Amino acid sequence: MVKSRSLHLLFTGWCHCRYSLSVFNVGIGLDLSVGVEGVLPSLARPANASRIFHGIVFDAGSTGTRIHVYTFIQKDPELPLLEKETFQSVKPGLSAYADTPETAGETVRQLLRVAKKAVPHVEWERTPVVLRATAGLRLLPPKKAQALLDEVEVAFEESPFFVPDNSVHIMNGTDEGILAWVTVNFLTGQLQAKTKKTVGTLDLGGASTQITFLPKFKTIESAPPDHIARFDLLSTTYELYTHSCTDTHQTDSSLERKVFESSCLSRKFREDWSFGGLTYKISGIPDGSTGFTECYKEMLKVVKGVIHQPPELQDSNTFYAFSYYFDIAVEAGLIDERRGGMVKVQDYSIRAKEVCNKLSMYLATKPFLCMDITYITCLLKDGFGFKDETILKLTQKVNNVETSWALGAIFDYFQNIKIH
Ligand SMILES: O=c1[nH]cnc2c1ncn2[C@@H]1O[C@H](COP(=O)(O)OP(=O)(O)O)[C@@H](O)[C@H]1O
Ligand SMILES: [Ca+2]
């Protein structure tokens, strides 16, 4: 089976972008403390709270559905601690069941069993459960997406957990970027520091990508007002630059059963690939040139000129990066899967050249690695405008908690951070 994120974007045509920007209003009122398990959140204590309380977030991603069960401890009335996260994921994502929505309900029921084990029985009825869907459902026809969400809602209502209003919905890309930024800056302790030091975040999903950071005044000044996203967390208003792209769904029926050729694939590579209800024949270019330079040119066509480049990114030092940035770095041997690690933008580029210029070596085991890693290189350099030396901290977990927007989403539930 074909497994490549780049193929998605080549077929859908990158990209539907939304830029957002913001400022940071000082007055940090966020109370955080650090414990053995890591950084501890200060969330409003739910009514009728006992010492421990929980929150359940489902991430309905384009490639999989994940459950995050958070356990908080109310250390004192002001400072609950994030004690632990229970996490599990299943593949494929809900959008794969567009024509059999009952299966989406089954997926959710299966994952709810994890929550029943993680949350004590007596806590079930006051533990909120929410689901946020991302690019996979954003790209479906609205009726099909709604049918899936309805099945999820039925499964939630049948469950013993508390189902708040608007518990199940499709999240926009801006919220996705902001909530991931909240998660990472919370887990790394940046939000607790009485400074404006925060870390930027890069997320690359199966069908969308987000970049979010605290911009300098110059960036704020030069960006149009609709590039601004604000949110409130405790007594602080944050304004962040956040830019989200979702691959647009433009399946071209004229390509039906035609061969899709790419210089990012070995000349000997041939495979059928189903997408958008059609089957494509994917292959290398039999008599054409292959290799990094040609592949990069292909990627430039979908990346260049469609993504806003804030000039300050050329001077930025470190970004946290996860999802496919992490997965592809593991596949490319740049980092260890368990420990993650730091890479420079140029490390992706160097490895892309090595892989793409020896395509036959990877034909059997990693036929799409050249395409994927070249795409990431191109997105970072010519898409966002990062310099070669920028460091990406590739992290799947911080203090044993997934670096996902899901934790930010439960903050949003308990705190109503009002992203606007
Ligand atoms: O919570 C997570 N933990 C670990 N990996 C994740 C998590 N969320 C996303 N990923 C990684 O990101 C990849 C693509 O993301 P996703 O399926 O969420 O696409 P989307 O964000 O475009 O909807 C997944 O295959 C998975 O490897
Ligand atoms: Ca995602």
Side-chain angles (χ1 to χ4, degrees), residues 97-145:
Y97 308 124
D99 297 321
T100 53
E102 325 74 66
T103 323
E106 280 317 305
T107 300
V108 165
R109 280 184 195 94
Q110 181 193 336
L111 288 171
L112 278 167
R113 285 188 212 127
V114 175
K116 283 188 189 166
K117 277 191 190 154
V119 179
H121 200 296
V122 290
E123 298 287 322
W124 287 355
E125 67 177 7
R126 70 180 187 93
T127 297
V129 59
V130 300
L131 177 139
R132 304 285 176 256
T134 53
L137 261 68
R138 290 204 282 265
L139 293 170
L140 281 182
K143 273 191 179 160
K144 294 206 170 195

Side-chain angles (χ1 to χ4, degrees), residues 3 5 59-68 70 85 87-89 91 93 133-139 176 203-210 245-247 322-327 395-397 402-406:
K3 184 176 169 283
R5 95 151 306 281
D59 166 4
S62 61
T63 68
T65 304
R66 301 138 204 144
I67 186 170
H68 303 253
Y70 299 104
E85 177 198 43
F87 173 77
Q88 194 154 314
S89 63
K91 287 188 174 183
T134 53
L137 261 68
R138 290 204 282 265
L139 293 170
E176 208 177 338
D203 191 352
L204 181 59
S208 75
T209 186
Q210 289 78 36
C245 288
T246 298
D247 298 357
F322 30 91
S323 301
Y324 271 122
Y325 289 109
F326 184 96
D327 298 346
T395 333
Q396 206 166 39
K397 285 173 189 270
E402 299 284 320
T403 46
S404 152
W405 50 258

Side-chain angles (χ1 to χ4, degrees), residues 263-264 289-300 352-353 356-357 370 374:
S263 53
C264 306
S289 34
T290 55
F292 179 75
T293 309
E294 291 302 314
C295 179
Y296 200 90
K297 272 190 217 157
E298 263 181 41
M299 296 300 157
L300 264 182
K353 276 177 207 157
C356 295
N357 293 337
C370 161
T374 304

